[in-house]
Amino acid sequence: MLLTGKTAIVTGGSRGIGRAVALALAKAGANVAIIYAGNTAAAEETKQLVQDQGVQVLALQCDVADETAVTDMVKTVKDQFGSVDILVNNAGITRDGLLMRMKAADWQDVLDTNLTGVYHCTKAVSKLMMKQRHGAIVNLSSVVGETGNAGQANYAAAKAGILGFTKAVAKELASRNIRVNAVAPGYVETDMTAVLTEAAREEMLRSIPLGRAATAEDVAQAVLFLVSDASSYITGQVLNVDGGMVM
Amino acid sequence: MSEEATFEKVKSIVVEQLGVDEKEVKMDAAYIDDLGADSLDIVELIMAFEEEFNIEIPDDVAEKIKTVKDTVEYIEKEKKA
């Protein structure tokens, strides 16, 4: 199989896109470490689904915004599986609100988890990948990071930040055969978007040429491509999985 | 630890990190010009020295460490401090 014998870390792996990614990588033969913030029930459920694919699995609670916790988490995965070949930075939160009403804490929380978390995880894992002389990292951005979205200044800033980070690190690590790419999903049906109003949902669907929302599985397949050797000559790129929203 | 022992330890780290022959790692060897290191190798070397000798090498010092001799001298100085 595509990823047999490889080890993958998927942050935000208990639900939504993260769960679909964990499952897709497991189906391709990778051992998976599911990193989750707090929803133990969801993490256990995902762990079972991954285990059913016949691969090894770990579920670890870790706040990606906490540098020490991330260092410990990566060490635990390395000790358990022997290597870390794949990192999918998927953990993300939203604290939506118009700028005029956005509290500094809501700005900071989103930046800490969605952008600084990517920095912590990538830094910790890149040390191992540099020694291994191979690795694939995929960062989950968003079309919102490219186009902006009213009510999401914090989220859009973090997601745009991920794109710059991805390209800079892709350049830094390329000589060690470590590829770094980003996936920018459009409108995906997950818990995160379930809170949108019906009007907002219809508005969104009208702006999608393919005329439907993405499933988490649509996004997971793009991630699978970018972490596999099928994309071995691709680095520093942004792959939109958005039904044509942004062209 | 004597300067000689420090040199031997530095040498073994350099051999492992850069994959060069032990004979090439002389006191006056420069990492980039003589041993074929690139900027990422230097970062990894500095981190390995910090770990092995339990010292901190600040960025402004790290920039000036070009040769094996620079490394051994800095470590010796830190140990006495």
Side-chain angles (χ1 to χ4, degrees), chain B residues 4-58:
Chain B
E4 182 60 28
T6 301
F7 170 66
E8 288 302 323
K9 263 195 172 173
V10 167
K11 182 155 84 176
S12 74
I13 289 170
V14 172
V15 165
E16 183 185 331
Q17 202 73 48
L18 301 181
V20 291
D21 196 279
E22 206 172 306
K23 289 196 286 287
E24 291 177 66
V25 189
K26 302 196 185 83
M27 210 45 170
D28 61 353
Y31 295 122
I32 291 175
D33 293 337
D34 299 325
L35 301 175
D38 66 13
S39 59
L40 280 180
D41 288 320
I42 300 288
V43 173
E44 287 190 291
L45 275 174
I46 295 291
M47 286 167 64
F49 296 143
E50 287 181 326
E51 200 173 328
E52 178 66 37
F53 296 99
N54 199 22
I55 54 170
E56 185 117 355
I57 305 177

Side-chain angles (χ1 to χ4, degrees), chain A residues 8-32:
Chain A
I9 293 176
V10 181
T11 71
S14 67
R15 293 185 290 158
I17 292 172
R19 172 183 286 185
V21 168
L23 210 47
L25 302 192
K27 279 181 181 158
N31 298 322
V32 182

Side-chain angles (χ1 to χ4, degrees), chain A residues 67-81:
Chain A
E67 185 169 23
T68 311
V70 168
T71 307
D72 291 347
M73 174 273 283
V74 171
K75 190 177 180 307
T76 304
V77 176
K78 165 80 163 55
D79 289 347
Q80 180 84 19
F81 293 135

